[in-house]
Amino acid sequence: PGTGYTAPPSGLPRPTTTTYHKRKSHKRSEAVQLVHTRVEHLLGDLCRRPPPPPPPDPQHSAHCAESNGTSTADPQSSTGPQRSAAPQQSQIAGMSDEQLFAGELDPAAGKLGADRTLRKRQQLRSVASHVLPLLEPGSRVVEFGAGCGHLSLLLASLRPDCLFTLVEVKPYTSNIAAGRVASSGLANAAVFTGSIDEYAS
């Protein structure tokens, strides 16, 4: 009396803890399925975007320059870490950490401690060795949840003939990634701060 509480009718069954968890699990499954559907839709939109124009063929440019009596500048002469045109898995395995993770390409530049930096180097080396053979000249790579840019910066330095976009929703980490891109001098990498929805719109 005086509390405003009304007891339920005695004929109705009380919900059990098992019933509550089943309902909660069902709602969670519906939410996960909705997210998966949305991501598939967004990725489909991204895949339907027109590909970027292919990079100029150095041999064709050199031939035209010789025909016109002019010279062309070396496309790899810009500042920043320099790598071979298309390193493959075996070449990555033969590179030391000092060669592979020079300057801003080192995970330590992404505010990692010594122990995490060592593990991240091993992880990046493994992932890069599997991704590089899949990239074709002129490929456009978008990394969602790029964080501080460890993977895309490494790939961008190894494949200057491809374009890389780092999508990160957290401003703090995306600012770190943008600073690393600027410091490394990589012209084929860019950072987008926002969600997948914002990038796709």
Side-chain angles (χ1 to χ4, degrees):
T3 61
Y5 171 75
T6 302
S10 58
L12 296 178
R14 294 178 178 271
T16 63
T17 303
T18 303
T19 304
Y20 170 76
H21 285 297
K22 285 183 178 179
R23 290 177 180 174
K24 189 174 182 180
S25 177
H26 179 69
K27 290 182 179 179
R28 186 184 297 111
S29 299
E30 290 181 344
V32 171
Q33 182 61 38
L34 180 62
V35 171
H36 287 176
T37 303
R38 182 58 177 161
V39 169
E40 290 177 358
H41 175 72
L42 291 173
L43 292 179
D45 290 341
L46 294 175
C47 292
R48 285 190 291 270
R49 287 186 176 183
D57 185 359
Q59 295 182 352
H60 178 72
S61 301
H63 176 73
C64 293
E66 291 177 358
S67 301
N68 297 331
T70 59
S71 61
T72 58
D74 183 3
Q76 303 297 328
S77 61
S78 59
T79 60
Q82 303 298 320
R83 298 291 189 271
S84 58
Q88 298 300 318
Q89 185 171 1
S90 58
Q91 293 176 283
I92 295 296
M95 298 176 67
S96 66
D97 282 356
E98 289 73 17
Q99 294 173 319
L100 196 59
F101 303 108
E104 289 293 331
L105 303 181
D106 192 349
K111 312 299 182 182
L112 294 183
D115 292 341
R116 290 192 61 192
T117 294
L118 180 59
R119 294 195 300 269
K120 181 61 71 173
R121 286 175 180 172
Q122 296 171 348
Q123 179 188 37
L124 293 173
R125 181 184 290 273
S126 176
V127 175
S129 66
H130 289 85
V131 173
L132 288 173
L134 304 177
L135 299 179
E136 298 179 356
S139 293
R140 180 183 180 183
V141 181
V142 180
E143 182 185 4
F144 296 106
C148 297
H150 302 303
L151 178 59
S152 286
L153 264 67
L154 176 61
L155 294 174
S157 70
L158 295 168
R159 290 300 301 267
D161 58 330
C162 299
L163 302 177
F164 295 85
T165 301
L166 294 71
V167 179
E168 173 56 43
V169 70
K170 297 179 181 179
Y172 174 76
T173 48
S174 67
N175 287 339
I176 295 177
R180 295 177 68 189
V181 170
S183 299
S184 64
L186 294 171
N188 60 329
V191 178
F192 178 89
T193 304
S195 63
I196 298 178
D197 286 315
E198 292 169 336
Y199 177 77
S201 62

